[in-house]
Amino acid sequence: MDYPIYEGHLEIRQSGGTRVLTGRFNYGSRATIRDRGRVRKESFSSRAFRFAIEQEPERRIDILVGHDFGKPIASRQSGTLKIEDGADAVTFEARLPDDPPSWVIDAERAIAAGLMTGLSPGFTVPSKTVRPDAEELVPEEGSTEGVMIRQINHAVLREFSVVTSAAYQDAMVALRSDDPRPLLRRRIWL
């Protein structure tokens, strides 16, 4: 399965002893995916994830490393993830564990080194019998090759993953410390 990577924003910060990963997934952005030699594009309408985030607050949503459910960073079920759906973006704040497993340490180091710079959603689209308007194909404006964009209007969010590659120039990862000691700041604009 291909997981498209969308523009987003990730940041790790520390205040006292708590480290927090924040992220932002912008609605209306486009991802380009190559599928068997053909170009496929995908975009999410405003508030496409509202069902899982707002209407089913008990639904499990995770932050993962590389779409691997064996490498969780935070989850709503454990109380370590706060997630909000707005008109222009989904934002989240994930509290990192005090005694993190090795993959969380590796992910923090990879983010700080600029190696993991993307944010990718894991989701399902309801069937047409459940939600007939869940997705549609719209022609890309100005395309001479007849490229169609899969416009996702309603999707069930399962997870967001920190991944190694990003499809957009304005994705940003930042690592900073709010400690009173000298500030370590590293920003990477993609």
Side-chain angles (χ1 to χ4, degrees):
M1 171 172 235
D2 286 329
Y3 289 99
I5 300 162
Y6 294 88
E7 69 181 271
H9 173 264
L10 292 171
E11 177 181 89
I12 295 176
R13 58 187 156 93
Q14 183 168 343
S15 181
T18 303
R19 291 175 333 285
V20 177
L21 172 69
T22 59
R24 179 181 174 90
F25 176 81
N26 295 321
Y27 287 129
S29 300
R30 276 191 201 148
T32 301
I33 309 161
R34 297 240 174 240
D35 186 17
R36 294 181 217 131
R38 294 178 41 200
V39 174
R40 197 178 84 199
K41 295 187 178 184
E42 205 168 66
S43 182
F44 286 86
S45 297
S46 177
R47 299 186 43 81
F49 291 130
R50 75 179 162 272
F51 174 76
I53 295 172
E54 294 176 357
Q55 295 175 1
E56 286 199 344
E58 72 284 353
R59 179 178 289 275
R60 183 179 185 99
I61 299 175
D62 296 289
I63 304 298
L64 306 174
V65 176
H67 295 289
D68 186 343
F69 280 91
K71 295 183 178 179
I73 294 174
S75 75
R76 227 171 29 170
Q77 297 303 93
S78 69
T80 57
L81 175 63
K82 291 181 185 175
I83 189 164
E84 293 183 13
D85 188 35
D88 60 339
V90 173
T91 57
F92 66 82
E93 182 176 288
R95 277 192 347 264
L96 301 179
D98 292 333
D99 187 19
S102 61
W103 60 85
V104 174
I105 294 167
D106 292 343
E108 286 184 76
R109 288 177 178 163
I111 292 167
L115 300 172
M116 294 187 84
T117 57
L119 181 63
S120 179
F123 63 95
T124 57
V125 176
S127 71
K128 290 201 181 293
T129 57
V130 173
R131 192 78 202 219
D133 62 341
E135 64 181 333
E136 59 187 313
L137 289 175
V138 295
E140 182 178 43
E141 193 174 310
S143 173
T144 59
E145 299 176 20
V147 174
M148 300 296 281
I149 300 167
R150 179 185 183 208
Q151 184 68 42
I152 300 169
N153 301 314
H154 303 281
V156 180
L157 180 65
R158 297 187 65 213
E159 50 95 5
F160 276 114
S161 280
V162 178
V163 293
T164 56
S165 60
Y168 296 93
Q169 296 296 318
D170 59 351
M172 186 188 87
V173 177
L175 179 64
R176 74 176 182 208
S177 172
D178 292 333
D179 228 343
R181 291 172 285 187
L183 187 66
L184 167 65
R185 181 172 278 164
R186 179 177 181 141
R187 288 185 183 230
I188 301 159
W189 296 91
L190 306 173

